[in-house]
Amino acid sequence: MEYRKKHGSDTWHFCKNCANWPTSGYDSKTTKPTSGELCNQCQAKKSAGNCK
Ligand SMILES: [Zn+2]
């Protein structure tokens, strides 16, 4: 799974279908981030089984 965080933000996204999925100017990780926060929308999608 890929995690992305926009520069200047503390929120990590991990669903490519998140409305706020960063497409430019972001940091990327392939392991679960240990700092910052996980996006609420991404987490909601994941629990709904709708995380792409
Ligand atoms: Zn998100």
Side-chain angles (χ1 to χ4, degrees), residues 2-3 19 28 33 40 44 47:
E2 182 185 4
Y3 294 82
S28 177
N40 288 334
S47 42

Side-chain angles (χ1 to χ4, degrees), residues 12-15 18-21 39-42:
W12 289 94
H13 302 268
F14 53 90
C15 299
C18 177
N20 298 313
W21 178 249
C39 170
N40 288 334
Q41 186 178 145
C42 289

